[in-house]
Amino acid sequence: MNVEELNALDILDRITDGFFALDYAWNFTYVNEEATKLLFRNREGLVGKNVWDEFPEAIELPFYEMYNHAIKQQVPVTFDSYFPPLRTWFDVRAYPSPNGLSVFFQDITEKKEAVLQSEQHYKSLFEHHPDAVFSFDLEGNYLSVNKGMEELLGYSEEEYKKLSYIPLVSEDSLEITNAHFNKAANGETQNYETKALHKNGHVVHVCVANIPIIVNEKIVGVYGIAKDITKQKQAEEMLIRSEKLSVVGELSASIAHEIRNPLTSLKGFLQLMKSTGTEVPAYFDIMTDEISRIESITGELLLHAKPQAHRFNYENVKEITEHVLVLLGSQALMNNVEVVTDVDTIPPFKCIGNQIKQVLINVIKNAIESMPNGGELVVQVKHRENKVCIQVRDTGCGIPEEFLDEVGLPFYTTKEKGTGLGMMTTMRIVETHGGEFRISSKVNVGTDIEINLPIT
Ligand code: ADP
Ligand code: MG
């Protein structure tokens, strides 16, 4: 060895990497200090010996193949490999040299274990995630699934790996699912609801997130996370159904209420005629009208069952009002209520006649009922510019201020036999006519109701 070679060896001895040199017969020609430590062997035991005799386990590992490759192709090679006999991960760089091979290596066990541990972390997140977690290639073929996914749709991991998501999506949801998947495959994370098919055929409602898998700045696939929301969906449907039922209940109560009014007057007139023994032609007209009102209410029930537009017609509001006053006159009389009316003749007014009649009945009846011991009822129907103004004032019990907002809410009633639907219906009718409804009241002074309906 010349001086230069000695100097070089000296340097190699002091570098922090392990280093050894091999000749073409795979014999060690040099081993540095660090290498003896890393391999747990002394220099004398290695130099002159064949590397594959000394470390036969390495033949089955990347070492053998990579060193051969470096020598045959005369190219440097780098690789990581675990070496079980030493329980060590090595990072190896081997360079062909004029005499054979120069090999530098490092112990990277700690680093590697840290990486493996964090991989383990992710793997554990994947495997033990309570939701279904899965990954796809860019065509939507399953690459991996966790236990949650096996449970969600009933297939095993092996079965999934032979499938794409397409046969597992309910047909009516496939288009939207494809659209979301494609967006995710183009880099946009997606959140959506869809319907999947369980292996045994039933539909599973799922809430899905699709997340692009990005490796080295390239999208290589799509992650999926799915949650079973079937129970939630069923609960929602039940809620909607029960809401519908309560609307039906409300409707029947209000219809019963509306039928009761004309029935009461029919009964009243019949009793009157029976007791007096006379037939009054005017009563027959009113009775006929009341019967047709009942008819139209039951007709309305059918309309609700099969929704249709209400018919707006040109009606005579004065006539309607007078009709209502005749209807409720007897009740007013019984309550000792003095009725003052001021009704303009109004040109034919476009409205739903039966509904306007219902409004007047509801409001006037409430006024009369608020004065069980008598009082004054003022009913005004005025023609003002392009409006019909209906005003009903009573000197009754009034409504406490804190309850004013409650009036008109379904079932708000202070009466023993009230339905609490009259004012709600009234407000709705005024609304469908594009009108305004106002109520003001003072306890023990009276209530003032004003309804303005636009003339169109
Ligand atoms: P009901 O008459 O069946 O109680 P309504 O919807 O017609 O239902 O009225 C709701 C409630 O509003 C009544 O119970 C009553 O407390 C109050 N109310 C409505 N109009 C008047 C009025 N003119 N005077 C006093 N209270 C009224
Ligand atoms: Mg009422």
Side-chain angles (χ1 to χ4, degrees):
M1 261 186 218
N2 60 34
V3 177
E4 268 168 31
E5 274 175 337
L6 279 173
N7 278 345
L9 293 181
D10 195 32
I11 291 167
L12 286 171
D13 238 358
R14 280 185 278 133
I15 62 168
T16 51
D17 283 8
F19 171 79
F20 57 78
L22 300 171
D23 63 18
Y24 282 118
W26 298 114
N27 293 326
F28 287 99
T29 56
Y30 177 76
V31 182
N32 81 347
E33 181 74 23
E34 183 66 15
T36 62
K37 286 184 197 154
L38 289 175
L39 299 174
F40 294 93
R41 300 287 285 268
N42 58 37
R43 223 171 265 186
E44 294 68 44
L46 285 177
V47 173
K49 303 272 170 60
N50 181 291
V51 64
W52 310 123
D53 290 343
E54 298 306 311
F55 302 99
E57 299 88 349
I59 297 173
E60 295 302 319
L61 294 168
F63 302 95
Y64 186 82
E65 201 192 314
M66 295 306 264
Y67 292 174
N68 271 294
H69 181 79
I71 286 180
K72 270 191 203 133
Q73 306 296 322
Q74 286 293 299
V75 290
V77 292
T78 57
F79 60 94
D80 289 354
S81 179
Y82 187 62
F83 190 62
L86 295 175
R87 294 198 186 147
T88 308
W89 274 92
F90 289 114
D91 168 46
V92 185
R93 283 147 289 135
Y95 305 90
S97 73
N99 311 321
L101 201 64
S102 302
V103 179
F104 295 84
F105 60 106
Q106 269 181 328
D107 178 352
I108 55 159
T109 310
E110 263 177 45
K111 240 197 289 177
K112 204 75 185 177
E113 267 169 6
V115 171
L116 285 178
Q117 215 174 33
S118 86
E119 270 172 20
Q120 198 61 47
H121 270 106
Y122 285 116
K123 210 163 164 215
S124 151
L125 176 66
F126 183 86
E127 279 171 2
H128 303 297
H129 202 292
D131 295 336
V133 186
F134 39 97
S135 61
F136 297 111
D137 65 13
L138 289 170
E139 270 72 58
N141 301 306
Y142 286 96
L143 298 177
S144 60
V145 305
N146 73 347
K147 276 268 168 296
M149 183 60 172
E150 291 185 324
E151 280 160 24
L152 184 74
L153 300 183
Y155 294 94
S156 70
E157 178 160 22
E158 283 61 46
E159 290 173 310
Y160 277 114
K161 283 181 174 170
K162 290 180 204 137
L163 287 167
S164 87
Y165 69 84
I166 290 169
L168 307 187
V169 174
S170 165
E171 218 177 294
D172 56 353
S173 305
L174 190 56
E175 201 175 314
I176 194 147
T177 306
N178 283 339
H180 285 294
F181 181 85
N182 291 335
K183 277 191 186 166
N186 279 305
E188 251 181 85
T189 294
Q190 303 287 308
N191 285 293
Y192 58 98
E193 284 180 14
T194 186
K195 284 188 260 171
L197 294 172
H198 192 275
K199 191 178 180 183
N200 67 20
H202 70 254
V203 170
V204 182
H205 291 267
V206 282
C207 176
V208 182
N210 278 163
I211 306 148
I213 305 173
I214 301 172
V215 176
N216 295 329
E217 288 166 32
K218 258 180 69 187
I219 301 167
V220 297
V222 172
Y223 274 124
I225 302 172
K227 221 186 174 76
D228 186 345
I229 54 163
T230 309
K231 283 215 179 84
Q232 223 168 298
K233 280 274 160 204
Q234 281 166 351
E236 262 170 43
E237 264 160 38
M238 245 162 66
L239 204 70
I240 290 169
R241 216 174 306 150
S242 72
E243 243 162 51
K244 265 190 206 150
L245 279 180
S246 83
V247 170
V248 171
E250 231 175 68
L251 197 68
S252 10
S254 96
I255 284 163
H257 173 75
E258 299 314 332
I259 289 179
R260 210 159 62 184
N261 289 340
L263 279 180
T264 307
S265 84
L266 280 176
K267 202 168 147 195
F269 284 121
L270 279 175
Q271 275 168 350
L272 199 65
M273 288 194 287
K274 193 180 172 195
S275 65
T276 58
T278 49
E279 292 171 11
V280 186
Y283 288 175
F284 282 124
D285 289 344
I286 295 172
M287 288 166 74
T288 310
D289 276 359
E290 285 311 297
I291 288 168
S292 43
R293 182 168 152 67
I294 293 173
E295 233 171 27
S296 82
I297 289 170
T298 49
E300 210 169 312
L301 185 63
L302 292 174
L303 286 186
H304 275 287
K306 202 171 146 205
Q308 250 177 44
H310 282 290
R311 268 154 289 122
F312 275 81
N313 278 320
Y314 287 98
E315 305 280 356
N316 186 335
V317 181
K318 187 180 166 116
E319 219 175 82
I320 294 176
T321 311
E322 279 164 356
H323 226 136
V324 171
L325 287 168
V326 173
L327 262 178
L328 297 175
S330 54
Q331 200 183 348
L333 208 69
M334 259 157 51
N335 275 24
N336 235 341
V337 170
E338 189 192 334
V339 185
V340 180
T341 59
D342 177 9
V343 182
D344 284 354
T345 304
I346 295 166
F349 165 61
K350 204 168 185 189
C351 62
I352 303 167
N354 265 335
Q355 290 196 348
I356 296 302
K357 189 172 177 187
Q358 199 177 322
V359 164
L360 285 164
I361 292 172
N362 287 345
V363 172
I364 293 171
K365 217 168 156 293
N366 278 348
I368 295 170
E369 284 164 358
S370 79
M371 302 181 280
N373 305 315
E376 190 184 67
L377 167 70
V378 178
V379 178
Q380 276 185 329
V381 179
K382 310 298 281 179
H383 183 197
R384 296 225 170 84
E385 288 164 35
N386 51 355
K387 275 190 285 192
V388 174
C389 301
I390 300 168
Q391 207 169 20
V392 176
R393 270 199 311 270
D394 64 61
T395 55
C397 61
I399 304 162
E401 207 185 319
E402 62 267 34
F403 293 124
L404 261 184
D405 286 344
E406 313 273 311
V407 176
L409 292 182
F411 307 114
Y412 172 74
T413 181
T414 53
K415 297 168 195 168
E416 205 183 321
K417 283 188 177 165
T419 62
L421 289 168
M423 294 308 266
M424 181 192 79
T425 320
T426 300
M427 288 175 181
R428 279 203 193 150
I429 292 172
V430 172
E431 211 180 285
T432 53
H433 284 76
E436 297 166 331
F437 178 95
R438 254 180 254 131
I439 180 166
S440 55
S441 189
K442 223 177 186 144
V443 175
N444 293 331
V445 176
T447 303
D448 186 350
I449 284 175
E450 209 183 306
I451 294 166
N452 292 317
L453 302 170
I455 300 173
T456 47

